[in-house]
Amino acid sequence: MDKLGSKTIIGAGATFTGKIANARVIEVHGKVNADLTAEKVSIGEAGHFNGAIRAELVVVSGHYEGKMWAGSVWATSTASISGKLQYKTLQMDRGAALNCHIVHNWKAKGGNLSNSENSDQDLSLLNDLNNAKTSAVPSSPKKALK
Amino acid sequence: MLEKPHQQIHNLHDDTTYILGDLMMEGSLDGGNHPVVIEGQFNGDITAIDVIIRENGKVTGKVKAKTSVIDGFFKGNLVCESLTISATGIVEGDIQTNDLSIDLGAEVIGSISRVNSKK
């Protein structure tokens, strides 16, 4: 028992359909159709996962289809991923098949749906505006005070 | 040290499905020809060759198995060939089984009957 800790395993040959919550470490060797929030998810070579994943670390060696928000993603050489992938760091081994929309996430902790490119552009625009204001605004009130 | 028999049989293996920790699952789980061990919470249907609900496990719904061991909590409809309810087990609902063992201390509320197909 102690060796297992709190690692949940969906065994090879098992099929699960539904919802998974409160998972810490989960390993998928079977077929899963579910939405999942966890700390660490690994999908084994024989594993099939269908659905959304929000996790800190996702290791994919099997098939994944869905929307994924992850801190780190590691796609091993046997991985095949389709859908959408939003990540902070990504490792992809030679042989991994990524057939999906990939978005790099600068600061959002998983849940942010906004496109990072857009938000960066918005930020730079805001900065420009602020700079313009700071350069223009302080001079006039000080002058007015004097 | 004495281990419970099912802990000896079902050692770490990729084929076994383990639902552990604070995990909450809702839906239907088919373990196929492999055992399912539950220590978390599960709402829904489980079908597997062996279904083991450990002491902290909580299952609500339907369970269909060949053999089943309940150390935890089960509520719902249970159909299996052989069932063991241990001293810490709590079972509420309808049980259909051909081979039943209930340890002293177990809490069983509901109806118990045979599986129709075999006598």
Side-chain angles (χ1 to χ4, degrees):
Chain A
M1 241 345 281
D2 293 331
K3 284 178 197 167
L4 279 168
S6 60
K7 186 201 265 182
T8 289
I9 302 169
I10 308 292
T15 313
F16 173 75
T17 311
K19 240 165 49 182
I20 304 173
N22 252 346
R24 287 214 170 155
V25 183
I26 183 162
E27 223 171 79
V28 177
H29 298 283
K31 280 183 187 166
V32 175
N33 288 301
D35 292 342
L36 169 64
T37 310
E39 278 170 26
K40 190 190 163 194
V41 182
S42 55
I43 302 170
E45 265 182 57
H48 285 255
F49 195 104
N50 239 309
I53 292 181
R54 286 161 192 272
E56 270 308 303
L57 173 64
V58 183
V59 180
V60 184
S61 305
H63 296 271
Y64 174 77
E65 198 178 334
K67 281 184 184 177
M68 190 194 288
W69 293 269
S72 303
V73 180
W74 179 17
T76 71
S77 59
T78 50
S80 77
I81 300 175
S82 55
K84 187 177 176 181
L85 188 58
Q86 199 155 347
Y87 71 97
K88 271 187 246 171
T89 57
L90 171 67
Q91 182 183 338
M92 188 180 163
D93 288 358
R94 187 182 295 272
L98 265 61
N99 207 345
C100 57
H101 182 187
I102 302 171
V103 180
H104 181 233
N105 221 0
W106 290 96
K107 25 195 154 359
K109 266 196 177 174
N112 199 343
L113 278 166
S114 71
N115 194 331
S116 61
E117 278 177 26
N118 287 343
S119 53
D120 283 339
Q121 277 174 7
D122 290 347
L123 267 180
S124 59
L125 272 174
L126 268 176
N127 284 335
D128 286 348
L129 281 172
N130 285 336
N131 287 337
K133 270 183 196 166
T134 45
S135 58
V137 174
S139 54
S140 50
K142 272 176 193 169
K143 271 177 193 169
L145 278 171
K146 278 173 189 172
Chain B
M1 199 190 112
L2 278 172
E3 274 188 304
K4 286 178 186 167
H6 62 263
Q7 281 171 338
Q8 291 172 337
I9 299 164
H10 308 297
N11 264 328
L12 292 170
H13 206 270
D14 284 355
D15 290 345
T16 308
T17 296
Y18 292 92
I19 296 167
L20 305 183
D22 303 326
L23 191 85
M24 261 196 66
M25 269 169 107
E26 222 180 287
S28 70
L29 174 67
D30 185 354
N33 284 324
H34 305 293
V36 172
V37 180
I38 291 160
E39 234 189 68
Q41 248 193 67
F42 191 99
N43 294 332
D45 300 349
I46 303 173
T47 312
I49 189 150
D50 297 335
V51 174
I52 294 142
I53 303 173
R54 292 234 181 110
E55 213 175 320
N56 297 315
K58 233 178 150 181
V59 176
T60 312
K62 278 184 197 166
V63 169
K64 216 174 165 185
K66 204 167 175 207
T67 59
S68 181
V69 178
I70 298 176
D71 300 332
F73 176 87
F74 174 78
K75 189 177 178 178
N77 201 307
L78 177 64
V79 182
C80 65
E81 195 64 35
S82 151
L83 170 66
T84 307
I85 304 171
S86 76
T88 51
I90 300 171
V91 177
E92 275 178 47
D94 296 336
I95 301 162
Q96 269 182 284
T97 183
N98 290 335
D99 187 0
L100 174 65
S101 139
I102 302 175
D103 286 356
L104 190 68
E107 214 173 286
V108 182
I109 304 161
S111 69
I112 298 165
S113 59
R114 280 189 156 270
V115 180
N116 295 328
S117 56
K118 282 192 175 182
K119 286 204 169 178

